[in-house]
Amino acid sequence: MMRRAPDGWLLARALRLPESTLALDAQGWTALLAIARAEQMLGTLAWRLDGVAVPPNVGRILEDAWRSVEQGRVVALWEAEAARRALAPIDERVVLLKGTAFVAADLLAGQGRSIGDLDILVPRASLDTIEAALLDAGWEWVKPDPYDDAYYRQWMHELPPLIHRDRDRMIDVHHTILPLTARITPNAAALLADAGEVAPGLWALSPEDMVVHAAAHLFADGDLAGGMRNLWDVHCLVEQDGVAGLAERAAMHGLNREVARALRLAAALYGDGAGSRLVDRLYLRRVTARDGWGRTTRPVTRMAFYIRSHWLRMPPAMLARHLWTKWRKGGAGPASG
Amino acid sequence: MNHQFSVAIGPVGFRIGSDWRAPIAQLETLYRAYPKPTDGVPDFTVRLFAARPWRRVLRPSVMIGGDFVLPEAAPLPLAQGLLAAEMGMNLQMALGQRRYLLLHASVVERDGEALMMTGVSGAGKSTLAALLSLRGWRLMGDEFALLDPETGQLHAFPRLVSLKNTSIATVAAEAPADRFGPLLEGTPKGTIRHFVPDAHAIATMIQPARPALILFPSFGFEPAARDVAPSEVFVRLTQASTNYVALGERGFDALTKLVTSVPARAIDYPDTASAIAQVEAAWAAR
């Protein structure tokens, strides 16, 4: 019998049912580890498979991955503390987003999660003061291109990224969770107002808003790259805090469709698959587009979602101008390889 | 991928996939005495692929990918596919290794004790390790020393020794021709020829050894030797490590223990005979 070529579903199954990995042979394990690494979820897999009998070398690889995310957690929390200190004189909430928020609040979604940049949310009215304070504390610009810089400032939901000159870590300062050019305008004031303090001087979005943010990022902004990890975040957030009040909160931000879709897709990948719709299959096809060598696959589907992400992000005339400018600079197009 | 090869080098398993047969065939030949990854599951994946489908056949050039990648890495011509595979494996170690503190050094062993040689590119650490392995030392590696933070021992990583430019002739004068790979000319690092470690080095590659001496060799100077203070060794080794920062406190503790318990010497040498004599003298006086 011909075996089915491995894709993202192999990882989804291992996370959903850790014992299902007992049936894997060496080839299956090799594919699973490569896919998990490519999706930046090897630490999450290590957490889920803790206590499951795995081949000794797999155990060593997962142990290394666990150590790596533990060190990543320490560094992420230290970076959040550095930002807190830099911004302490400004009397505004520093709200942590995504991975750093999950580990600072000690959530299930933070277990084994790899964390890249530090993402924070601040009031738009204080952006200039905050930018100045960060520059003062050693952060520097990384986008030397004037078009990119101007584009960020005029149209994006965040400042152009800053990187710290000593610690080499990036910070993304958001003032809302979707680009200003998007058709949907979430309620940024409510995001800030309902945040909770998770550590002295460090805040995180309310549990409902964390799901809203994940859904907004996935479906109203990005091209679903990293979707497996984002949907795992959603799955863990919902598992921990339930869905009570979530639909109302999503509707208030204008993101009810996106949140409902995030819940369905997270359930399809990591849960019981409840409420799955036909169109969800296309999204799942995109999200699981990864082969046993860790390569992205299904280029046509990915390109379709890439175009869709820009379509959602900005009006047609602006999109045409933007893509033209980026194309001339040779930058546009989904990541390949 | 169309063609693939798996190999264990010391405690680390690799899987190399390729769009072309040629690099895989060379790996199969040169690594023929090596075992396969433990449990059949490699630690790292390397991919050699064409940037565009037609570049498999038209002016074929090899992109290096894998679990860990450098975004700006330039492709190599297919004739240098073996080098691409080696660079890909080194890259996985440099960017992805988290079990051991990785030190850019060559290592040889005698009587269960390890001699580590580190220095800038061109200092002669690969050449010296190859020459010492022809004089009764066990070759543990020419590129990376793997320091185990838990035990303080060095693990072997005896990949193919990468000989460059004039050192190719130096080693070829002493070793049989069947232990050399193809001559790779015009690579980004000049002319390269790979040298296969001896059967003993491969058979014993899972045995670690206690570090006993650290040397900083420099080629092209009159013979000279001096002690190197632990503080200087520490700084030079953090610069010679690709994962010191990523290991956090474990890396700091491991390195501190190494530099405070193992003596270090810097040796300058003008030629092979002088180098060997100085290494032996430093080893005897350790």
Side-chain angles (χ1 to χ4, degrees), chain A residues 25-27 29-31 33-34 37-38 55-58 60-61 64-65 67-68 71 292-295 336-337, chain B residues 1 4 15-17 38-47 49 67-68 98-99 150 245-250:
Chain A
D25 57 10
Q27 211 184 337
W29 274 113
T30 303
L33 296 176
R37 221 174 230 149
N57 203 42
V58 173
R60 279 194 292 273
I61 292 167
D64 292 347
R67 281 201 185 120
S68 182
Q71 175 63 18
W293 287 86
R295 293 178 296 186
S336 61
Chain B
M1 300 190 76
Q4 63 169 300
R15 162 176 73 152
I16 298 109
T38 318
D39 303 322
V41 183
D43 294 69
F44 297 112
T45 291
V46 173
R47 302 192 309 260
F49 62 98
D67 293 329
F68 299 89
R98 292 292 180 274
R99 198 176 311 161
E150 268 71 56
V245 172
L247 257 55
E249 197 176 350
R250 285 171 69 230

Side-chain angles (χ1 to χ4, degrees), chain B residues 103-104 118-120 215-218 226 228-241 255 259 265-266:
Chain B
L103 300 167
H104 196 219
T118 183
V120 294
L215 286 182
F216 295 93
S218 296
R226 68 174 175 95
V228 185
S231 53
E232 185 184 338
V233 179
F234 187 95
V235 173
R236 290 176 76 162
L237 289 182
T238 57
Q239 289 163 352
S241 174
L255 195 54
V259 303
R265 302 265 291 165

Side-chain angles (χ1 to χ4, degrees), chain A residues 63-80:
Chain A
E63 194 184 315
D64 292 347
W66 182 252
R67 281 201 185 120
S68 182
V69 291
E70 276 299 288
Q71 175 63 18
R73 190 175 64 88
V74 169
V75 172
L77 291 175
W78 175 243
E79 201 58 25

Side-chain angles (χ1 to χ4, degrees), chain B residues 11 34 53 88 91 107 113 115 131 133 166 190 203 231 249 259 269 275 286:
Chain B
Y34 287 66
L91 194 64
V107 186
E113 294 192 316
L115 161 65
L131 293 172
S133 79
T166 53
S231 53
E249 197 176 350
V259 303
Y269 64 94
R286 73 189 183 278

Side-chain angles (χ1 to χ4, degrees), chain B residues 129-143:
Chain B
L131 293 172
L132 289 167
S133 79
L134 294 165
R135 287 166 173 76
W137 293 75
R138 166 166 74 113
L139 178 76
M140 291 182 71
D142 82 309
E143 180 80 8

Side-chain angles (χ1 to χ4, degrees), chain A residues 14-307:
Chain A
L15 292 171
R16 178 163 58 94
L17 301 168
E19 301 77 25
S20 71
T21 58
L22 292 171
L24 291 177
D25 57 10
Q27 211 184 337
W29 274 113
T30 303
L32 173 59
L33 296 176
I35 293 168
R37 221 174 230 149
E39 295 292 340
Q40 301 196 49
M41 294 185 77
L42 197 58
T44 309
L45 186 67
W47 173 60
R48 287 293 286 165
L49 295 189
D50 185 29
V52 176
V54 301
N57 203 42
V58 173
R60 279 194 292 273
I61 292 167
L62 293 176
E63 194 184 315
D64 292 347
W66 182 252
R67 281 201 185 120
S68 182
V69 291
E70 276 299 288
Q71 175 63 18
R73 190 175 64 88
V74 169
V75 172
L77 291 175
W78 175 243
E79 201 58 25
E81 172 61 15
R84 187 197 66 76
R85 290 181 190 181
L87 301 177
I90 303 164
D91 193 24
E92 293 287 3
R93 288 182 179 181
V94 175
V95 179
L96 305 173
L97 299 173
K98 304 186 206 173
T100 311
F102 301 156
V103 296
D106 200 19
L107 301 180
L108 283 180
Q111 295 289 329
R113 197 183 190 281
S114 73
I115 303 169
D117 310 337
L118 171 63
D119 296 280
I120 61 170
L121 178 75
V122 299
R124 194 173 185 195
S126 306
L127 266 188
D128 290 345
T129 337
I130 281 163
E131 182 178 357
L134 290 174
L135 290 172
D136 221 34
W139 276 272
E140 295 169 345
W141 301 121
V142 281
K143 293 247 180 196
D145 186 299
Y147 174 78
D148 286 351
D149 189 81
Y151 186 88
Y152 263 91
R153 286 172 193 280
Q154 189 172 3
W155 299 116
M156 289 297 278
H157 50 306
E158 59 196 354
L159 288 175
L162 291 157
I163 200 159
H164 196 276
R165 62 167 173 250
D166 299 328
R167 295 189 305 277
D168 202 28
R169 299 279 296 187
M170 203 170 312
I171 188 169
D172 281 329
V173 182
H174 303 242
H175 55 85
T176 183
I177 55 173
L178 279 182
L180 306 178
T181 48
R183 291 171 184 81
I184 302 166
T185 308
N187 186 337
L191 292 170
L192 285 165
D194 293 331
E197 193 169 18
V198 291
L202 290 174
W203 298 67
L205 295 177
S206 71
E208 299 79 29
D209 280 345
M210 284 184 186
V211 178
V212 170
H213 181 206
H217 176 69
L218 258 176
F219 303 119
D221 185 11
D223 63 353
L224 272 84
M228 291 207 70
R229 190 173 70 159
N230 278 295
L231 288 167
W232 177 255
D233 290 344
V234 170
H235 168 76
C236 290
L237 290 169
V238 168
E239 184 159 287
Q240 189 153 19
D241 286 298
V243 293
L246 185 54
E248 295 74 22
R249 189 71 181 178
M252 188 270 287
H253 288 297
L255 285 159
N256 32 341
R257 269 183 357 134
E258 286 71 15
V259 167
R261 182 176 295 138
L263 295 181
R264 291 198 310 272
L265 295 188
L269 280 174
Y270 305 120
D272 57 8
S276 198
R277 295 184 188 175
L278 203 59
V279 63
D280 292 348
R281 288 195 199 165
L282 189 59
Y283 286 87
L284 292 167
R285 188 177 150 74
R286 164 64 183 92
V287 167
T288 58
R290 189 69 75 176
D291 73 5
W293 287 86
R295 293 178 296 186
T296 50
T297 52
R298 302 167 192 161
V300 176
T301 308
R302 280 191 296 121
M303 182 51 98
F305 275 95
Y306 177 77
I307 292 167

Side-chain angles (χ1 to χ4, degrees), chain B residues 74-77 80 83 87 186-190 192:
Chain B
L76 292 174
Q80 296 170 17
L83 178 64
M87 286 169 69
T187 81
K189 295 170 183 173
I192 287 184

Side-chain angles (χ1 to χ4, degrees), chain B residues 259-275:
Chain B
V259 303
T260 50
S261 61
V262 178
R265 302 265 291 165
I267 56 169
D268 295 351
Y269 64 94
D271 54 46
T272 304
S274 161

